[in-house]
Amino acid sequence: MPVTASALISPEILKDARRRERRVAWQQTRTAWLFIAPAVTMVTLFLLLPVVFNVILSFTKWQKFTGLDQFAGFNNYARLFRVPYFSEALGNTAIWVVGAVAFPLAVGLGLALLLRNIPFQETFKSLFFLPRVLAPTAVGAIWYYVYAPTGVLNSAVSGITGTPFDFGWLFDPATITGSVIVTFVWQTVGITMVLLLLGLAAIPKDPVEAARVDGASNFQIFRHIVWPLLLPTVLVVTILNVAAGFTTFDLLWVMASSFPGKRTLSLAVYMYYESFSNGAWAYGSAVAVVLGAMVITVSALLAVVQARVSKNIR
């Protein structure tokens, strides 16, 4: 019978080798934790603990510096379904999220397909990406004056039609949400376009060239080859836009500063209004918990779909 190498080594040497391996592994783990400890500390202090405190706060009667030590049970959550403002804010949030996902994706995909094979591609990409680097409050202030009764948009319509036009885009409930969605698309379409361009660049050229040789049209190539391979990137963009759509506050607050019912424009605005304008901090915390649960649930579902799509492509 052949003699294994371990049989030629004494048990003491093997034990010492295993001890050294464990020591090296412990040193590596300790070093890794030393490097990530600052990040873990910051996340714990400024993210996890506030979230936990917010959840606890939603079960109290805290309002204007009183009631923090009084347990309210699920009263704050039950109030959500009794107050009509919450249902209005929830409906507007749904509209806002759908618009914040669909329109940037459609426009960004069109731009990505248009710009990927043209001269001066980098220049055009920079121009479309430029609004992304601006602060949302600055973007909101700029577009507030675009939509103002005597702003750029109404002036342009007046110049085209030859008649005075002073419609209040940000003062009419029928147009305010759509107007802010247009602003959101203008600001975010650049990052959507860049991510989709990266996804298009990662698609192998062999299947596309083989389809062209077989006589496939551009639409057929896009439908049967490009789109399925681009779908994981599309889902990543969708997850990012869903989170942004649910939590966008600054654009709505700045652009709708004079709108009488602005607290119902989204759950994020409604949460801020109840917490800081009305001083109902416990109730505002309940709104925040519901909003966070919605974001986590939708994002998790999309992440599962994205993982399955990526696995099927492989």
Side-chain angles (χ1 to χ4, degrees):
M1 292 181 59
V3 180
T4 60
S6 59
L8 300 176
I9 303 176
S10 64
E12 291 78 9
I13 297 177
L14 287 174
K15 186 183 297 184
D16 186 60
R18 293 192 184 98
R19 191 182 300 112
R20 285 198 301 268
E21 289 178 358
R22 287 195 295 268
R23 188 184 303 114
V24 171
W26 162 246
Q27 291 175 349
Q28 292 175 345
T29 303
R30 184 180 59 183
T31 303
W33 272 105
L34 287 175
F35 278 104
I36 67 174
V40 171
T41 303
M42 296 291 286
V43 170
T44 302
L45 290 177
F46 298 103
L47 181 61
L48 297 181
L49 288 181
V51 169
V52 173
F53 178 73
N54 186 81
V55 173
I56 296 173
L57 182 61
S58 67
F59 292 98
T60 67
K61 297 181 180 180
W62 195 22
Q63 183 172 354
K64 294 182 178 179
F65 301 103
T66 61
L68 180 59
D69 57 342
Q70 301 176 25
F71 183 68
F74 288 93
N75 290 343
N76 290 318
Y77 294 94
R79 180 184 171 187
L80 296 175
F81 302 98
R82 296 195 305 264
V83 179
Y85 296 126
F86 176 78
S87 59
E88 292 180 32
L90 184 62
N92 285 332
T93 299
I95 297 173
W96 171 258
V97 171
V98 171
V101 171
F103 292 112
L105 183 60
V107 177
L109 180 59
L111 290 174
L113 294 172
L114 181 65
L115 297 180
R116 62 173 178 167
N117 292 320
I118 66 171
F120 306 106
Q121 179 187 131
E122 299 300 327
T123 301
F124 286 107
K125 285 196 296 185
S126 300
L127 290 175
F128 285 110
F129 190 81
L130 183 61
R132 180 65 181 179
V133 304
L134 301 177
T137 50
V139 173
I142 292 171
W143 280 82
Y144 177 85
Y145 290 104
V146 171
Y147 288 119
T150 56
V152 176
L153 182 57
N154 287 340
S155 298
V157 174
S158 299
I160 294 173
T161 61
T163 57
F165 189 80
D166 58 353
F167 182 75
W169 299 92
L170 300 179
F171 299 91
D172 192 321
T175 58
I176 183 170
T177 300
S179 300
V180 182
I181 287 176
V182 170
T183 305
F184 181 84
V185 173
W186 179 79
Q187 186 185 21
T188 59
V189 71
I191 186 63
T192 301
M193 176 196 66
V194 170
L195 292 174
L196 292 175
L197 279 171
L198 293 174
L200 289 172
I203 295 177
K205 297 181 180 180
D206 293 342
V208 176
E209 294 175 354
R212 292 192 188 280
V213 171
D214 291 338
S217 64
N218 290 332
F219 177 76
Q220 291 174 326
I221 292 173
F222 175 79
R223 179 183 177 184
H224 297 289
I225 299 177
V226 175
W227 178 254
L229 295 176
L230 188 63
L231 193 54
T233 305
V234 171
L235 290 172
V236 170
V237 172
T238 302
I239 293 172
L240 295 176
N241 287 345
V242 163
F246 270 113
T247 58
T248 296
F249 165 80
D250 28 31
L251 276 181
L252 287 165
W253 189 261
V254 172
M255 295 184 67
S257 58
S258 303
F259 185 68
K262 65 179 177 180
R263 65 174 169 177
T264 64
L265 288 177
S266 74
L267 287 178
V269 176
Y270 183 58
M271 173 192 65
Y272 179 89
Y273 187 90
E274 290 294 335
S275 299
F276 296 98
S277 296
N278 285 352
W281 292 320
Y283 178 63
S285 297
V287 177
V289 171
V290 172
L291 178 59
M294 293 171 62
V295 175
I296 293 173
T297 301
V298 175
S299 299
L301 291 175
L302 290 172
V304 170
V305 174
Q306 194 268 347
R308 291 185 177 179
V309 169
S310 300
K311 183 178 179 180
N312 292 336
I313 290 177
R314 297 191 190 100

